[in-house]
Amino acid sequence: MATSKEELATSMENPDVPGTNKRFVPLENNPEVMSSLLHQLGLSKSIGFHDVYSIDDPELLAFVPRPAYALLLVFPVNESYEKFRSKEDSGKPEYNGSGPEEEVMWFKQTIGNACGLIGLLHGASNGPVKNFIGRDSDLERLLQEATPLKPTQRADLLYESRALESAHQIAAQKGDTAAPSAEDHVELHYVCFVKSMDNNLWEMDGRRIGPIKLGNLEPEEDVLSEKALALSVRSFLKREEQAGGGELRFSLVALGQSFD
Protein backbone atom coordinates (compact mmCIF):
# COMPACT_ATOMS: atom_id res chain seq x y z
CA MET A 1 0.00 0.00 0.00
CA ALA A 2 1.34 3.40 -0.92
CA THR A 3 2.34 5.76 1.84
CA SER A 4 0.49 9.07 1.84
CA LYS A 5 2.38 12.36 2.00
CA GLU A 6 0.90 13.01 5.45
CA GLU A 7 1.96 9.58 6.74
CA LEU A 8 5.45 10.02 5.30
CA ALA A 9 5.80 13.43 6.92
CA THR A 10 4.78 11.93 10.26
CA SER A 11 7.20 9.02 9.91
CA MET A 12 10.01 11.42 9.01
CA GLU A 13 9.51 13.64 12.04
CA ASN A 14 8.26 11.61 14.98
CA PRO A 15 11.13 9.12 15.44
CA ASP A 16 13.65 11.94 15.64
CA VAL A 17 12.11 15.14 17.00
CA PRO A 18 8.97 14.94 19.16
CA GLY A 19 6.25 17.32 18.06
CA THR A 20 6.33 18.98 21.47
CA ASN A 21 9.99 20.02 21.06
CA LYS A 22 10.81 23.55 20.02
CA ARG A 23 11.22 24.29 16.34
CA PHE A 24 13.39 26.74 14.43
CA VAL A 25 12.57 28.68 11.29
CA PRO A 26 14.21 26.59 8.54
CA LEU A 27 17.42 27.94 7.03
CA GLU A 28 17.41 28.83 3.37
CA ASN A 29 19.64 26.59 1.28
CA ASN A 30 22.01 29.45 0.53
CA PRO A 31 25.81 29.55 1.07
CA GLU A 32 25.74 33.19 2.18
CA VAL A 33 23.11 32.45 4.81
CA MET A 34 25.01 29.42 6.06
CA SER A 35 28.29 31.32 6.20
CA SER A 36 26.73 34.27 8.03
CA LEU A 37 25.38 31.99 10.78
CA LEU A 38 28.78 30.43 11.45
CA HIS A 39 30.53 33.81 11.24
CA GLN A 40 28.14 35.21 13.82
CA LEU A 41 28.93 32.31 16.13
CA GLY A 42 32.66 32.89 15.78
CA LEU A 43 34.06 31.12 12.72
CA SER A 44 36.64 33.23 10.89
CA LYS A 45 35.32 35.10 7.86
CA SER A 46 38.25 33.63 5.93
CA ILE A 47 36.18 30.41 5.82
CA GLY A 48 32.81 30.13 4.09
CA PHE A 49 30.43 27.99 2.06
CA HIS A 50 30.42 27.75 -1.74
CA ASP A 51 27.99 26.24 -4.22
CA VAL A 52 29.21 23.09 -5.95
CA TYR A 53 27.55 23.16 -9.36
CA SER A 54 28.85 19.81 -10.56
CA ILE A 55 30.64 16.78 -9.15
CA ASP A 56 31.59 15.57 -12.64
CA ASP A 57 32.69 18.64 -14.59
CA PRO A 58 36.33 19.55 -13.74
CA GLU A 59 35.89 23.11 -15.01
CA LEU A 60 32.98 23.75 -12.64
CA LEU A 61 34.71 22.01 -9.75
CA ALA A 62 37.68 24.32 -10.31
CA PHE A 63 35.55 27.24 -9.06
CA VAL A 64 35.41 25.73 -5.56
CA PRO A 65 38.32 26.71 -3.26
CA ARG A 66 40.45 23.75 -2.22
CA PRO A 67 40.93 22.07 0.08
CA ALA A 68 37.24 21.61 0.80
CA TYR A 69 36.87 20.84 4.51
CA ALA A 70 33.23 19.72 4.55
CA LEU A 71 30.34 19.04 2.18
CA LEU A 72 26.67 19.65 2.86
CA LEU A 73 24.34 17.55 0.75
CA VAL A 74 20.83 19.00 0.67
CA PHE A 75 17.98 16.87 -0.68
CA PRO A 76 14.23 16.30 -0.31
CA VAL A 77 13.54 13.41 2.07
CA ASN A 78 11.56 10.64 0.41
CA GLU A 79 10.21 7.24 1.33
CA SER A 80 13.16 5.27 -0.09
CA TYR A 81 15.63 7.29 1.97
CA GLU A 82 13.62 6.83 5.15
CA LYS A 83 13.40 3.08 4.60
CA PHE A 84 17.14 2.85 4.00
CA ARG A 85 17.92 4.96 7.08
CA SER A 86 15.64 2.87 9.29
CA LYS A 87 17.00 -0.43 7.97
CA GLU A 88 20.66 0.55 8.24
CA ASP A 89 20.30 1.91 11.78
CA SER A 90 18.09 -0.94 13.03
CA GLY A 91 19.76 -3.17 15.59
CA LYS A 92 22.89 -1.05 15.86
CA PRO A 93 23.88 0.49 19.20
CA GLU A 94 23.47 4.23 19.49
CA TYR A 95 26.68 6.22 19.41
CA ASN A 96 27.86 7.12 22.89
CA GLY A 97 31.18 8.83 22.28
CA SER A 98 32.51 11.87 24.10
CA GLY A 99 35.71 13.52 25.21
CA PRO A 100 38.81 14.90 23.49
CA GLU A 101 39.71 11.44 22.14
CA GLU A 102 36.63 11.45 19.87
CA GLU A 103 37.70 11.34 16.23
CA VAL A 104 34.66 13.40 15.22
CA MET A 105 32.17 15.47 17.19
CA TRP A 106 28.59 14.38 16.44
CA PHE A 107 25.36 16.14 17.41
CA LYS A 108 21.98 14.45 17.72
CA GLN A 109 19.12 16.59 16.41
CA THR A 110 16.33 17.27 18.91
CA ILE A 111 15.15 20.66 17.56
CA GLY A 112 12.57 20.70 14.78
CA ASN A 113 13.66 22.14 11.41
CA ALA A 114 17.26 22.33 12.65
CA CYS A 115 18.92 19.80 10.33
CA GLY A 116 20.59 22.68 8.48
CA LEU A 117 22.01 24.06 11.72
CA ILE A 118 23.21 20.61 12.80
CA GLY A 119 24.90 20.16 9.43
CA LEU A 120 26.69 23.49 9.78
CA LEU A 121 27.88 22.59 13.27
CA HIS A 122 29.19 19.25 12.04
CA GLY A 123 31.14 21.04 9.31
CA ALA A 124 32.60 23.65 11.64
CA SER A 125 33.48 21.39 14.57
CA ASN A 126 35.50 18.71 12.78
CA GLY A 127 38.82 18.57 10.96
CA PRO A 128 41.09 21.58 10.29
CA VAL A 129 38.17 24.06 10.36
CA LYS A 130 38.35 24.04 14.16
CA ASN A 131 41.57 26.03 13.83
CA PHE A 132 39.57 28.92 12.34
CA ILE A 133 37.20 29.35 15.30
CA GLY A 134 37.69 32.64 17.16
CA ARG A 135 39.04 32.61 20.70
CA ASP A 136 36.36 33.06 23.37
CA SER A 137 33.63 33.10 20.73
CA ASP A 138 30.17 31.57 21.21
CA LEU A 139 31.20 28.69 18.95
CA GLU A 140 34.42 27.99 20.82
CA ARG A 141 32.61 28.01 24.18
CA LEU A 142 29.85 25.77 22.81
CA LEU A 143 32.31 23.18 21.52
CA GLN A 144 34.35 23.29 24.72
CA GLU A 145 31.21 22.59 26.74
CA ALA A 146 30.08 19.90 24.30
CA THR A 147 33.35 17.95 24.18
CA PRO A 148 33.05 16.03 27.49
CA LEU A 149 29.31 15.37 27.10
CA LYS A 150 27.60 12.21 25.88
CA PRO A 151 25.31 12.66 22.81
CA THR A 152 22.10 13.09 24.82
CA GLN A 153 23.60 15.74 27.09
CA ARG A 154 25.28 17.33 24.07
CA ALA A 155 21.89 17.60 22.35
CA ASP A 156 20.46 19.21 25.49
CA LEU A 157 23.28 21.76 25.41
CA LEU A 158 22.33 22.77 21.86
CA TYR A 159 18.64 22.79 22.76
CA GLU A 160 19.21 25.25 25.61
CA SER A 161 21.83 27.45 23.92
CA ARG A 162 20.54 31.00 23.60
CA ALA A 163 23.54 32.04 21.51
CA LEU A 164 22.80 29.29 19.01
CA GLU A 165 19.09 30.09 18.84
CA SER A 166 19.75 33.80 18.41
CA ALA A 167 22.30 33.29 15.62
CA HIS A 168 19.97 30.87 13.86
CA GLN A 169 17.02 33.25 14.12
CA ILE A 170 19.01 36.10 12.58
CA ALA A 171 20.37 33.92 9.75
CA ALA A 172 16.94 32.44 8.98
CA GLN A 173 15.61 35.91 8.15
CA LYS A 174 18.28 36.40 5.50
CA GLY A 175 18.33 34.99 2.01
CA ASP A 176 16.54 35.50 -1.28
CA THR A 177 13.10 34.20 -0.26
CA ALA A 178 10.67 34.92 2.55
CA ALA A 179 11.39 32.79 5.60
CA PRO A 180 8.78 30.09 6.29
CA SER A 181 7.16 29.58 9.68
CA ALA A 182 8.86 27.49 12.34
CA GLU A 183 5.73 25.31 12.31
CA ASP A 184 6.02 24.55 8.60
CA HIS A 185 7.11 21.07 7.60
CA VAL A 186 10.15 21.37 5.33
CA GLU A 187 11.08 18.24 3.40
CA LEU A 188 14.68 19.28 2.69
CA HIS A 189 17.31 17.49 4.73
CA TYR A 190 21.02 18.22 5.25
CA VAL A 191 23.76 15.61 5.54
CA CYS A 192 27.35 16.66 6.20
CA PHE A 193 30.51 14.87 5.08
CA VAL A 194 33.78 15.70 6.86
CA LYS A 195 37.37 14.50 6.84
CA SER A 196 38.78 13.91 10.30
CA MET A 197 42.31 14.72 11.43
CA ASP A 198 42.94 10.96 11.12
CA ASN A 199 42.16 11.17 7.37
CA ASN A 200 38.87 9.29 7.61
CA LEU A 201 35.73 10.39 5.76
CA TRP A 202 32.60 10.54 7.91
CA GLU A 203 28.90 10.98 7.24
CA MET A 204 27.37 13.25 9.88
CA ASP A 205 23.59 13.29 10.22
CA GLY A 206 21.80 14.27 13.43
CA ARG A 207 18.87 12.03 12.53
CA ARG A 208 21.01 8.86 12.45
CA ILE A 209 22.16 6.85 15.47
CA GLY A 210 25.64 8.32 15.25
CA PRO A 211 28.45 9.31 12.87
CA ILE A 212 29.23 6.84 10.07
CA LYS A 213 32.78 6.15 8.93
CA LEU A 214 32.80 5.82 5.14
CA GLY A 215 36.46 5.09 4.50
CA ASN A 216 40.01 6.35 4.60
CA LEU A 217 41.44 9.17 2.49
CA GLU A 218 45.02 10.04 1.65
CA PRO A 219 46.41 13.13 3.44
CA GLU A 220 46.24 15.16 0.21
CA GLU A 221 42.64 14.13 -0.58
CA ASP A 222 39.84 16.45 0.52
CA VAL A 223 36.07 15.89 0.63
CA LEU A 224 35.78 16.84 -3.06
CA SER A 225 38.41 14.35 -4.19
CA GLU A 226 37.33 11.54 -6.50
CA LYS A 227 37.60 8.94 -3.75
CA ALA A 228 35.65 11.05 -1.25
CA LEU A 229 32.86 11.74 -3.75
CA ALA A 230 32.65 8.04 -4.63
CA LEU A 231 32.28 7.15 -0.95
CA SER A 232 29.80 9.91 -0.16
CA VAL A 233 27.69 11.84 -2.66
CA ARG A 234 27.91 9.46 -5.62
CA SER A 235 27.21 6.46 -3.41
CA PHE A 236 24.20 8.24 -1.95
CA LEU A 237 22.79 9.17 -5.36
CA LYS A 238 23.35 5.68 -6.77
CA ARG A 239 21.54 4.12 -3.82
CA GLU A 240 18.56 6.42 -4.25
CA GLU A 241 18.36 5.67 -7.96
CA GLN A 242 18.53 1.91 -7.38
CA ALA A 243 15.78 2.19 -4.76
CA GLY A 244 13.41 3.37 -7.46
CA GLY A 245 13.36 7.02 -6.53
CA GLY A 246 14.60 8.05 -9.96
CA GLU A 247 16.95 10.95 -10.37
CA LEU A 248 17.26 12.73 -7.03
CA ARG A 249 17.08 16.51 -6.91
CA PHE A 250 19.91 17.71 -4.70
CA SER A 251 22.28 20.56 -4.10
CA LEU A 252 25.76 20.60 -2.65
CA VAL A 253 27.81 23.23 -0.86
CA ALA A 254 31.43 23.03 0.26
CA LEU A 255 33.15 24.66 3.22
CA GLY A 256 36.51 26.17 2.36
CA GLN A 257 38.51 29.37 2.09
CA SER A 258 36.43 32.47 1.35
CA PHE A 259 36.94 34.46 -1.84
CA ASP A 260 37.08 37.76 0.05
Side-chain angles (χ1 to χ4, degrees), residues 8-62:
L8 178 58
T10 299
S11 70
M12 287 191 294
E13 290 196 58
N14 289 351
D16 312 298
V17 180
T20 55
N21 281 24
K22 71 179 178 182
R23 303 174 65 85
F24 283 175
V25 173
L27 285 180
E28 181 175 284
N29 178 19
N30 181 319
E32 292 183 3
V33 172
M34 298 174 185
S35 298
S36 70
L37 195 160
L38 290 182
H39 293 159
Q40 184 170 341
L41 287 172
L43 184 67
S44 168
K45 291 187 177 180
S46 66
I47 301 293
F49 284 98
H50 308 274
D51 281 312
V52 179
Y53 294 109
S54 172
I55 57 174
D56 301 307
D57 187 331
E59 291 186 1
L60 292 177
L61 273 173

Side-chain angles (χ1 to χ4, degrees), residues 216-230:
N216 182 258
L217 300 176
E218 295 299 324
E220 67 275 9
E221 292 178 314
D222 66 0
V223 294
L224 273 177
S225 66
E226 280 299 311
K227 184 176 181 180
L229 288 173

